[in-house]
Amino acid sequence: MFYEWVKPVVKGAEGLLRGMSIIGKFTVMLSFIPYLASYWFMNLTELIPITVTGLVMGVVYLVLIGDSIRRLRPLILVWILSEATGLLVVLMSKGGLNFIMLLNVTILSTLILVLLIGVVVSLALLSLSEVRYILSIMGLGTLGESLVLSLRYLLNASIGMDEAYMVLKSLGNVKPRLLVNSLVANGVRYSIILAQYIEYYGIPSVKPRIALRRLDSIALIPLILYLTLLTLRTTLA
Amino acid sequence: MLVVSDLWARYGNGDWILRGLSLSLKDGEVGLVIGDTGSGKTTLVKALAGVIHLTGGLAKGVIKVNDTELSGAEPRERSRLIGVLYQDPAIHFIYPRVDEDLELTAIENDVSVNAILNTAGLSNEVLGKLVTELSMGQLQRLAIAKLITRGVKVIIMDEPLAHLDQNAVELLVTLIRGIKRRGISILILEHRYEHVIGSVDKVLQLNDGKLSELSSLSGLTRRRYIIRSVSSNTDGGWLKLSNVWFKYDDSYVLRGINLSASSSRVIFIGPNGSGKSTLLKLILGVVKPSKGKVIVDHSHPMLYMPQDVNVVMSMTDTVEELYIELAKAAGRNASIEDLKRELKALEMHINTSDDPLHLSEGQKRILMLTMAKLLKPTLMIIDEPTSGLSSRYSFELAEFINQSNLRVIIATQDLHFASLIRDSDVFYVKGQEGYVAKVNVSEYVL
């Protein structure tokens, strides 16, 4: 139910990769950018190994950070939408749909998916305190605090929504208005309790680890693989 | 050392709830404050923490910790001396991930995360989990460890036993003894005092806004419970679970559960995380078993009463509206006059035009049951009905259920409450181990 959807978003990444430095976490996202950029200067034959490699790397990352199925679900939806949009554009153009155009659209959609996987993995790897730190050095400290509290509230609210849903479901009629009322009023009640806590203890805040760690080198693997493929392409040409 | 003298507190222009209250605790001394629901225990916590103004309140008086006068001190400054353990320990974790929150606390106070875990008596298995994935007992011990890490001199515990099972209570009592040895004073405000009475140095009764020390503990009831297995007839019955398995993520919380109930009152008891609430969800039909069958002889409307009744109380702006809306959802006719009459008969002074969220926790639960009685559901399912309730309200709830002819399923870890429900089928559940036994709970007053 609601909690099951919210949980992976709030929980972020699990496992070994969580121990990366903030620089390593950003590098994950950056290392997938060249894959998408290749679309504009490589031909279709060259793009096929690039796309397959990027996709495999992305899926490996998703598996490593856990909850891969749940994270992949919305990403696949984005892939279907971009594929459909691409096909629509092709169909509406004068050229008409053929195998080459279909391959072209599929490769572009898949490369977009690869980049999005990089973004999702990076965001999942970043801890809330790191996001808050980044926002604070950007002069958006209040936004960072709001983000922490919003996610905390979201987690609590999803459990409350599940409970409210169960009450109405047990009666036989789930009225959305009552669910929304419960979400809002109970949320206000929870916020007051949270405000009391914060007024008393404050929100812990410290500078995240900046120093590079050996683990960060994992973030370079997609980039190294990409450079290898690029070198092979140049050599073969 | 904590010294409080002539403490007054109230909300808005209302009557004074605390009226010149005084108390003192020496270093390492443990004080227990007892008092009925609504006697002002939560107000006392807010006044000591200096956050009563956030809920429209006002407090005046002298509060000293180790000779440092706290009146006028900022809440953040106070929090370094007086640590407050809130009733819901999850509130102590602002970051949803436990490891992140602990790491920040560790860095702020120049200690290691392992040191905090050691103080809490927990292993690093809790790291990497969300606040919502830990048991109340684990969260509470971690919250206390965080307070100790901050170097507080006094810890105030607001109903620390409200959500704990027997095992977690024993672990908390051990932790309290450890805190005492560190020279930290503790003030416990609690209904279920019999579990901690052996570890306290003084018992204070909160009555009429003042504290009075009990000279003798003879007036306090201490109870013990014996759970005996009784023979179970697996044939027939209106509720039947056959080889039921259920898993969250990758771990099973129920493994091959079999049970059959014929009494109209069914109670599931067992430790935290034993799968009691999951059983309720399966019976309600909001989740499906991974394997096995759940057969319940019922039709709509049922009525599920969650552990946190506030999710229901926040559905409308007034008690009247709430009753009407729930009746509509249940497809029943509703009359406000009937509700008023029932509440009057129970001597519940509830204004039906008031916001249900403003009622006391006890009143909210009684209101929910009163509405259930009028709506006549075919089945009532209640999760932890006595959480945070004083013994008086628990007794009233039990009597209400005993006198009604509703078919009820209850999940609780409150053995006192379980022993009060008559003619019931009680099942002791340890879902992960696939263990369920029909039992009898006997209470012995010592």
Side-chain angles (χ1 to χ4, degrees):
Chain A
M1 292 193 286
F2 301 102
Y3 174 65
E4 288 304 310
W5 280 91
V6 167
K7 197 171 104 176
V9 178
V10 177
K11 193 168 188 176
E14 291 175 76
L16 179 77
L17 296 188
R18 183 92 180 172
M20 282 173 150
S21 76
I22 190 168
I23 297 168
K25 291 170 184 178
F26 268 114
T27 315
V28 171
M29 179 163 45
L30 296 175
S31 63
F32 282 103
I33 292 176
Y35 285 84
L36 180 61
S38 303
Y39 180 80
W40 282 274
F41 67 88
M42 283 189 188
N43 62 41
L44 273 182
T45 326
E46 290 166 341
L47 278 172
I48 292 171
I50 292 278
T51 311
V52 172
T53 311
L55 189 63
V56 170
M57 282 311 303
V59 172
V60 169
Y61 267 118
L62 275 180
V63 171
L64 283 175
I65 65 167
D67 257 326
S68 46
I69 304 289
R70 278 204 196 99
R71 290 182 213 276
L72 208 51
R73 253 187 250 152
L75 288 172
I76 287 173
L77 192 69
V78 173
W79 182 85
I80 292 169
L81 283 174
S82 56
E83 181 79 4
T85 312
L87 290 175
L88 202 65
V89 170
V90 170
L91 282 171
M92 287 167 74
S93 68
K94 289 172 186 169
L97 186 64
N98 55 36
F99 175 72
I100 298 295
M101 290 310 280
L102 181 66
L103 187 66
N104 205 333
V105 168
T106 307
I107 281 178
L108 180 60
S109 311
T110 313
L111 286 174
I112 291 171
L113 174 71
V114 169
L115 181 69
L116 282 178
I117 291 177
V119 174
V120 166
V121 170
S122 279
L123 288 178
L125 282 171
L126 280 172
S127 66
L128 264 178
S129 53
E130 286 167 337
V131 175
R132 192 181 162 208
Y133 177 73
I134 294 163
L135 288 170
S136 73
I137 54 174
M138 289 165 71
L140 301 166
T142 314
L143 180 65
E145 285 186 4
S146 307
L147 183 73
V148 174
L149 296 178
S150 304
L151 286 177
R152 185 70 187 83
Y153 166 72
L154 184 66
L155 189 67
N156 200 67
S158 65
I159 295 174
M161 281 284 274
D162 276 353
E163 293 277 84
Y165 173 81
M166 279 162 64
V167 173
L168 295 171
K169 169 111 178 148
S170 72
L171 289 167
N173 188 356
V174 181
K175 287 188 168 183
R177 185 171 56 84
L178 296 184
L179 267 184
V180 173
N181 283 356
S182 175
L183 177 73
V184 174
N186 205 27
V188 170
R189 191 187 67 89
Y190 181 73
S191 304
I192 292 169
I193 301 171
L194 204 59
Q196 284 180 48
Y197 178 86
I198 292 166
E199 173 85 356
Y200 200 56
Y201 293 108
I203 305 176
S205 171
V206 285
K207 196 176 162 186
R209 278 192 296 262
I210 303 285
L212 283 169
R213 305 181 74 182
R214 214 174 287 168
L215 196 60
D216 295 335
S217 55
I218 291 176
L220 295 173
I221 292 176
L223 201 59
I224 292 164
L225 278 172
Y226 178 79
L227 289 173
T228 311
L229 290 170
L230 202 64
T231 313
L232 276 173
R233 170 191 174 248
T234 318
T235 313
L236 289 172
Chain B
M1 186 180 187
L2 171 71
V3 177
V4 179
S5 49
D6 200 27
L7 183 65
W8 293 72
R10 70 176 177 189
Y11 295 99
N13 292 322
D15 293 338
W16 291 99
I17 295 170
L18 303 182
R19 300 162 164 268
L21 174 150
S22 297
L23 81 103
S24 71
L25 287 176
K26 292 178 197 143
D27 289 345
E29 201 171 26
V30 182
L32 168 69
V33 176
I34 57 173
D36 211 343
T37 303
S39 60
K41 295 197 292 299
T42 304
T43 306
L44 175 58
V45 174
K46 286 179 186 171
L48 291 176
V51 293
I52 195 168
H53 62 283
L54 289 177
T55 42
L58 167 78
K60 57 180 185 178
V62 178
I63 303 166
K64 282 185 182 176
V65 175
N66 290 3
D67 295 329
T68 306
E69 163 72 59
L70 294 185
S71 43
E74 287 297 311
R76 208 68 51 86
E77 211 177 306
R78 283 185 187 219
S79 72
R80 289 272 163 199
L81 294 169
I82 300 182
V84 179
L85 176 72
Y86 289 94
Q87 196 173 344
D88 175 8
I91 205 84
H92 286 260
F93 297 82
I94 294 290
Y95 288 87
R97 274 180 75 118
V98 172
D99 51 359
E100 196 175 353
D101 198 281
L102 290 185
E103 195 177 340
L104 292 172
T105 306
I107 295 171
E108 265 192 343
N109 296 285
D110 202 19
V111 296
S112 68
V113 170
N114 276 338
I116 302 176
L117 289 174
N118 284 341
T119 308
L122 289 166
S123 71
N124 55 12
E125 278 176 20
V126 297
L127 303 178
K129 291 194 172 174
L130 284 177
V131 171
T132 46
E133 293 174 309
L134 262 57
S135 73
M136 282 290 179
Q138 287 173 325
L139 283 174
Q140 202 171 55
R141 294 201 295 284
L142 280 175
I144 293 171
K146 281 175 68 176
L147 297 180
I148 294 171
T149 304
R150 290 172 71 90
V152 297
K153 308 295 176 211
V154 180
I155 296 180
I156 298 161
M157 301 183 177
D158 188 7
E159 297 193 18
L161 309 179
H163 308 286
L164 302 188
D165 62 25
Q166 192 55 41
N167 187 34
V169 167
E170 281 164 20
L171 288 168
L172 179 66
V173 168
T174 308
L175 186 56
I176 287 173
R177 287 184 186 138
I179 300 169
K180 195 174 152 66
R181 278 197 295 275
R182 289 172 186 250
I184 299 170
S185 314
I186 306 171
L187 191 66
I188 304 171
L189 299 95
E190 182 57 61
H191 293 304
R192 293 164 67 191
Y193 53 77
E194 63 260 28
H195 300 284
V196 288
I197 203 98
S199 307
V200 303
D201 300 304
K202 58 167 78 168
V203 180
L204 305 150
Q205 173 89 47
L206 181 56
N207 202 2
D208 204 19
K210 286 184 180 171
L211 283 172
S212 52
E213 189 172 347
L214 298 184
S215 54
S216 156
L217 304 183
S218 58
L220 301 177
T221 314
R222 298 177 71 180
R223 304 180 178 94
R224 286 289 176 270
Y225 301 92
I226 294 181
I227 302 171
R228 285 193 193 89
S229 177
V230 295
S231 65
S232 170
N233 177 14
T234 53
D235 297 327
W238 61 274
L239 173 68
K240 195 172 169 73
L241 276 74
S242 312
N243 190 30
V244 169
W245 294 67
F246 187 82
K247 67 175 174 182
Y248 284 115
D249 297 329
D250 293 328
S251 57
Y252 278 98
V253 288
L254 298 176
R255 292 171 182 269
I257 297 295
N258 290 295
L259 65 87
S260 173
S262 50
S263 167
S264 62
R265 294 170 195 137
V266 177
I267 305 174
F268 296 125
I269 59 169
N272 282 340
S274 60
K276 302 187 298 289
S277 297
T278 306
L279 280 175
L280 297 189
K281 286 177 189 169
L282 284 165
I283 293 165
L284 263 171
V286 288
V287 292
K288 301 279 173 225
S290 313
K291 265 197 283 184
K293 266 188 184 173
V294 179
I295 301 164
V296 196
D297 174 21
H298 72 85
S299 56
H300 282 297
M302 298 186 281
L303 182 54
Y304 168 65
M305 181 166 145
Q307 191 169 343
D308 180 7
V309 284
N310 290 302
V311 299
V312 184
M313 298 298 139
S314 45
M315 283 178 179
T316 60
D317 292 336
T318 66
V319 172
E320 287 175 7
E321 264 185 80
L322 182 64
Y323 177 52
I324 299 288
E325 289 292 349
L326 292 182
K328 274 188 200 166
R332 300 278 203 245
N333 293 322
S335 151
I336 300 298
E337 291 312 310
D338 289 345
L339 180 66
K340 285 180 180 169
R341 197 187 56 245
E342 285 293 332
L343 291 172
K344 198 175 172 188
L346 287 165
E347 293 178 12
M348 296 293 294
H349 304 293
I350 295 176
N351 184 347
T352 52
S353 352
D354 279 352
D355 187 338
L357 275 177
H358 293 162
L359 303 175
S360 76
E361 289 304 304
Q363 286 175 325
K364 286 172 190 168
R365 283 177 165 80
I366 297 279
L367 172 67
M368 193 80 190
L369 283 172
T370 308
M371 291 190 296
K373 187 180 172 187
L374 294 167
L375 295 175
K376 296 186 180 66
T378 57
L379 172 62
M380 177 109 191
I381 295 179
I382 314 177
D383 195 4
E384 295 293 354
T386 59
S387 187
L389 281 194
S390 71
S391 51
R392 182 168 73 91
Y393 276 118
S394 295
F395 185 77
E396 281 181 17
L397 268 184
E399 273 309 291
F400 194 99
I401 291 168
N402 284 330
Q403 283 166 20
S404 76
N405 50 8
L406 286 173
R407 200 177 254 186
V408 186
I409 302 176
I410 300 165
T412 183
Q413 53 199 343
D414 184 347
L415 297 180
H416 173 60
F417 184 74
S419 70
L420 292 173
I421 305 294
R422 293 192 290 271
D423 306 324
S424 56
D425 281 349
V426 185
F427 295 95
Y428 184 84
V429 182
K430 272 191 173 176
Q432 278 183 328
E433 295 167 27
Y435 179 81
V436 59
K438 194 169 177 183
V439 296
N440 172 265
V441 181
S442 325
E443 181 183 87
Y444 293 89
V445 177
L446 303 177

